[in-house]
């Protein structure tokens, strides 16, 4: 409790670990809440939770409550899962795909992710999982970063098309992207332009954080 109080004055780091996949993982008390960070960016809770909550609100909480299966590509500390379960009161199945087992161990230890019964965590590469899954999903949340880097496959047409294929009619993709320079702005505009407008409605939300831009794809029923 003392750490939580003092964290309103100065962030207090309580855990740090080297990870083969994510370089350095840190758990910190900041402004009265635990957050999960890597060396250069926020991974869960804090600003990231605000960003994804904003995207979910744009889709509509009532619409999300009517969904049967949500896929999360990139789990980290699980802040978006907590938003779905605790704030939206979503009761149906969530599948989370995370490539870094160290991240899940920390999420379980510090954020009690393993206590969420409707969540199934799969340790796998998101690209491989999307290729082989036989399921279809009502909402696919893409939140994949390696520190401040986003893997190139996320923007390749083959991957985008496959993600859209495993989406149910009237389903949504919520894609969190990082913008650090003009090349990233161009990349995002190209991404949106390549989504088939006859089958999908695509929009970029106005940014609420300087370096994050959300893209929403809706599969027209």
């Amino acid at each position: 409790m003392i750490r939580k109080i003092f964290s309103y004055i100065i962030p207090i780091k309580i855990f740090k670990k080297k990870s083969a996949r994510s370089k350095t993982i840190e758990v910190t008390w900041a402004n009265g809440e635990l957050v999960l960070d890597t060396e250069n960016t926020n991974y869960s809770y804090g600003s990231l939770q605000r960003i994804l909550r904003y995207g979910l609100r744009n889709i509509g909480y009532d619409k999300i409550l009517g969904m049967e299966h949500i896929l999360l590509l990139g789990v980290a500390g699980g802040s978006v899962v907590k938003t779905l379960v605790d704030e939206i009161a979503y009761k149906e199945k969530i599948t989370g795909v995370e490539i870094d087992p160290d991240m899940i161990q920390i999420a379980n230890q510090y954020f009690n992710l393993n206590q969420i019964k409707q969540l199934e965590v799969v340790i796998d590469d998101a690209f491989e999982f999307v290729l082989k899954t036989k399921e279809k999903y009502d909402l696919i949340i893409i939140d994949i970063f390696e520190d401040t880097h986003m893997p190139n496959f996320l923007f390749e047409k083959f991957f985008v098309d496959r993600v859209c294929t495993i989406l149910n009619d009237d389903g949504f993709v919520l894609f969190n992207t990082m913008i650090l320079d003009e090349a990233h702005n161009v990349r995002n505009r190209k991404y949106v332009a390549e989504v088939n407008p006859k089958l999908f409605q695509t929009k970029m939300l106005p940014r609420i954080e300087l370096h994050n831009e959300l893209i929403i794809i809706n599969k027209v029923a």
Side-chain angles (χ1 to χ4, degrees):
M1 187 57 71
I2 295 293
R3 287 174 172 178
K4 181 176 181 178
I5 293 167
F6 273 105
S7 74
Y8 287 99
I9 303 168
I10 186 169
I12 300 170
K13 193 180 301 176
I14 62 170
F15 177 85
K16 184 174 182 178
K17 180 177 182 176
K18 293 282 185 184
S19 165
R21 297 293 321 186
S22 309
K23 297 183 181 175
T24 302
I25 306 172
E26 301 174 350
V27 179
T28 304
W29 278 106
N31 295 314
E33 66 175 342
L34 277 179
V35 299
L36 179 66
D37 298 322
T38 57
E39 193 168 3
N40 298 301
T41 192
N42 174 231
Y43 255 37
S44 279
Y45 307 92
S47 62
L48 182 68
Q49 189 167 24
R50 289 193 295 275
I51 292 163
L52 291 174
R53 183 188 291 120
Y54 168 56
L56 294 171
R57 193 180 297 124
N58 194 276
I59 291 168
Y61 286 4
D62 287 345
K63 192 175 284 286
I64 290 168
L65 285 171
M67 295 176 176
E68 294 182 0
H69 198 172
I70 293 174
L71 175 64
L72 171 59
L73 301 178
V75 177
S79 56
V80 71
V81 178
K82 293 290 186 75
T83 299
L84 287 166
V85 173
D86 295 343
E87 298 177 31
I88 302 177
Y90 181 74
K91 303 276 195 245
E92 304 303 322
K93 186 175 182 182
I94 304 169
T95 299
V97 180
E98 173 59 54
I99 198 170
D100 188 350
D102 289 334
M103 199 70 80
I104 296 301
Q105 181 185 347
I106 292 164
N108 291 340
Q109 181 179 350
Y110 287 95
F111 302 100
N112 301 318
L113 202 64
N114 52 351
Q115 293 181 15
I116 299 174
K117 301 303 181 190
Q118 73 216 68
L119 172 66
E120 178 190 7
V121 174
V122 180
I123 304 296
D124 201 356
D125 180 278
F127 184 85
E128 297 289 338
F129 181 90
V130 163
L131 286 189
K132 64 194 177 191
T133 183
K134 302 289 195 294
E135 299 274 343
K136 286 211 166 188
Y137 305 90
D138 301 300
L139 170 61
I140 301 172
I141 301 169
I142 306 174
D143 189 37
I144 297 175
F145 301 93
E146 295 169 355
D147 198 29
T148 58
H149 171 70
M150 297 192 72
N152 291 332
F153 76 81
L154 294 172
F155 299 92
E156 291 171 0
K157 190 173 187 307
F158 176 79
F159 182 76
V160 179
D161 288 348
R162 178 61 185 158
V163 166
C164 290
T165 299
I166 62 172
L167 199 62
N168 281 322
D169 288 347
D170 200 31
F172 290 83
V173 176
L174 174 59
F175 186 17
N176 182 25
T177 70
M178 186 170 284
I179 306 287
L180 298 177
D181 55 35
E182 181 54 30
H184 292 159
N185 281 318
V186 172
R187 174 202 68 194
N188 277 19
R189 288 194 291 270
K190 181 174 181 286
Y191 179 94
V192 168
E194 287 181 346
V195 178
N196 188 337
K198 294 179 181 177
L199 301 175
F200 302 94
Q201 294 177 341
T202 309
K203 61 182 175 181
M204 302 157 83
L205 298 188
R207 293 183 206 171
I208 60 168
E209 298 282 344
L210 179 62
H211 295 300
N212 290 82
E213 184 166 61
L214 293 174
I215 299 171
I216 293 180
I217 301 171
N218 179 209
K219 190 171 189 176
V220 180

